[in-house]
Amino acid sequence: MSTPPVVTTDAAVSPSAPNAAANAASANAASAAATAAEPEPSQRRNLHLLVAAQSLGGASAPIIISLGGLVGQMLSTNTALSTLPVSLYNLGVALSTIPAALIMRRMGRRMAYLLGAVLGLVSGLIAAWGIARSDFVMFCVGTTMAGFYGACVQSYRFAAADMAAPAWRPQAISRVMVGGLIAAVIGPQVVIWTRDALPAAPFAGSFFGQAALALLAVPLIALLRIPPPPAVTATGSGRPLSEIALTPKFIVAVTAGVVTFGLMSFVMTAAPIAMVGCGHTVGEAALGIQWHVLAMFAPSLFTGRLIAAIGKYAMTALGLVLIAAAALMSLGGLDLFNFWGGLVLLGVGWNFGFIGATSIVTDCYRPEERSKVQALNDFLVFGTVALSSFSSGRMLGAAGWDAINLMMFPLVAVVLVMLGGLRWHEGRMAGRPA
């Protein structure tokens, strides 16, 4: 009598099969999540368009910042007002963040960005016309109007983040910021090529160039296909802004962004004046600023991947530590090595800290809340930048270069403590049973 064949199963063959199956399922789930995080073709197309638009729109700021003081000195009868055009540009960016967000909420990002580019075109023409007429007030009107375009350009990073899956948002923000690296090259080159294009009106050609760059951005923005803002539901536009603004995560994220950008602007504005005052040439000071701007945006090529590897909080903290290291380098002496080294560290620290803080902000709101939260964040950040540009030169004259660098340490320390406290709190809450 034959023995019936024994039918074996995987479970009978190996007791560890359930574990293997579970591990395989976990790996498949992780792979699926990673695949889902990757942007779709339409999102990649929008991202590439935003990078190109950032490259053109972001070039306006270097043109205005590098020439605004020189033109102001040339047109104003009061030398104390020579940097007013640059300060008004920064103020224009700060004051435009909320109106720009309202337009985005009502009409969509693309229409707001198109309006920003058109105003960028008009502002360049007005500034150039003010130079041609030797009209300081008209020139200031032009640089102030450019602030709305600047506010829209700064919003491109949030547009990229809103289109991306949560796991891919830091990389999306970082990709758009690469456009700033290109803008850091385009802006100074436009100044070099066009500043003497109109001999009767020095520097007017550069502002015509600014207008031309805004015009080139218009068709790129028109090709964007950004999803419309979420429809208002029965719950309205989400939680009240005051409720969101008082959450610990938002407070820490905004404080990190404000300190990172504010300190960078404060030191960058004072550095050229300090370098010339210490006996270095104007060309050496300009070269230091150029290296600084390149250091601000070049890390964007890999910042998103670093955030994915070490986390948003650690990346923001690393940026702040590098800003403190920049202050130490600057306090080490008055040689070119100290100035340039400090400016490069400051630029890299800004990149890590600002992109990290922006990534944390994107975790603070629901889709229907994004416009108002992003507007509040940028208003606070760029309002601080405007105040920094107003006060930097005055503090340098009153207290000196060392005092500017020494004031960075307590501010950095406070934000590092806040980041550590928030990370500890979230870890503790995650460990509590449901």
Side-chain angles (χ1 to χ4, degrees):
M1 188 167 130
S2 61
T3 304
V6 178
V7 179
T8 60
T9 65
D10 291 342
V13 172
S14 172
S16 63
N19 292 335
N23 291 338
S26 176
N28 290 336
S31 175
T35 302
E38 289 292 323
E40 298 175 359
S42 61
Q43 294 172 332
R44 288 186 181 277
R45 176 180 175 276
N46 282 331
L47 189 59
H48 293 154
L49 289 169
L50 286 170
V51 171
Q54 175 89 20
S55 302
L56 297 170
S60 292
I63 294 172
I64 294 171
I65 292 171
S66 62
L67 293 182
L70 295 174
V71 174
Q73 193 174 34
M74 181 177 70
L75 299 182
S76 175
T77 56
N78 184 351
T79 56
L81 298 177
S82 59
T83 60
L84 182 62
V86 177
S87 297
L88 288 175
Y89 168 73
N90 289 322
L91 183 63
V93 173
L95 295 179
S96 298
T97 53
I98 293 176
L102 293 175
I103 295 172
M104 292 176 207
R105 178 69 179 170
R106 185 171 296 273
M107 303 174 63
R109 287 191 185 273
R110 184 175 63 168
M111 290 304 298
Y113 294 164
L114 282 171
L115 176 60
V118 170
L119 285 179
L121 165 64
V122 173
S123 68
L125 296 176
I126 290 175
W129 187 243
I131 295 173
R133 292 187 55 186
S134 298
D135 190 330
F136 180 66
V137 173
M138 181 177 289
F139 178 70
C140 288
V141 169
T143 61
T144 306
M145 283 183 61
F148 186 89
Y149 187 28
C152 291
V153 172
Q154 290 293 339
S155 173
Y156 293 169
R157 71 192 196 280
F158 282 123
D162 290 343
M163 291 186 296
W168 209 76
R169 282 175 185 165
Q171 292 196 49
I173 295 169
S174 186
R175 292 273 182 96
V176 171
M177 297 294 280
V178 170
L181 174 63
I182 303 171
V185 176
I186 292 176
Q189 290 304 311
V190 167
V191 171
I192 292 170
W193 293 338
T194 61
R195 61 187 176 187
D196 298 321
L198 301 172
F203 307 120
S206 297
F207 288 91
F208 281 124
Q210 174 201 328
L213 292 174
L215 180 61
L216 290 173
V218 169
L220 296 174
I221 296 170
L223 291 172
L224 286 171
R225 295 295 180 267
I226 299 177
V232 178
T233 62
T235 58
S237 57
R239 295 167 294 171
L241 185 58
S242 58
E243 179 182 335
I244 301 170
L246 292 175
T247 58
K249 178 173 280 192
F250 183 79
I251 292 172
V252 173
V254 170
T255 303
V258 163
V259 170
T260 298
F261 216 136
L263 288 179
M264 186 280 297
S265 175
F266 195 74
V267 175
M268 183 183 69
T269 303
I273 304 171
M275 291 178 71
V276 173
C278 291
H280 302 295
T281 67
V282 174
E284 289 168 336
L287 188 58
I289 294 299
Q290 185 176 22
W291 280 112
H292 166 71
V293 174
L294 290 173
M296 287 172 60
F297 294 103
S300 298
L301 295 167
F302 54 83
T303 302
R305 290 184 181 140
L306 278 178
I307 291 177
I310 68 175
K312 301 172 184 179
Y313 297 134
M315 195 65 177
T316 308
L318 177 59
L320 289 160
V321 169
L322 287 175
I323 289 174
L328 282 173
M329 174 71 78
S330 298
L331 289 167
L334 300 176
D335 296 330
L336 279 178
F337 172 77
N338 300 99
F339 280 107
W340 288 359
L343 286 170
V344 168
L345 286 173
L346 182 68
V348 177
W350 173 86
N351 182 279
F352 290 176
F354 187 59
I355 293 180
T358 299
S359 300
I360 299 171
V361 170
T362 62
D363 294 335
C364 296
Y365 53 79
R366 303 165 186 164
E368 66 272 17
E369 301 164 346
R370 64 189 184 191
S371 295
K372 59 187 180 184
V373 176
Q374 292 168 5
L376 177 61
N377 175 76
D378 278 1
F379 175 76
L380 294 172
V381 170
F382 295 108
T384 303
V385 171
L387 290 174
S388 297
S389 65
F390 272 116
S391 59
S392 179
R394 182 171 298 179
M395 182 171 179
L396 178 65
W401 175 242
D402 284 354
I404 283 180
N405 287 284
L406 286 170
M407 68 165 288
M408 296 165 68
F409 295 114
L411 294 172
V412 167
V414 167
V415 182
L416 288 175
V417 170
M418 293 175 69
L419 283 167
L422 178 62
R423 188 70 186 90
W424 175 82
H425 174 73
E426 289 186 347
R428 185 182 179 192
M429 296 299 293
R432 286 188 177 182

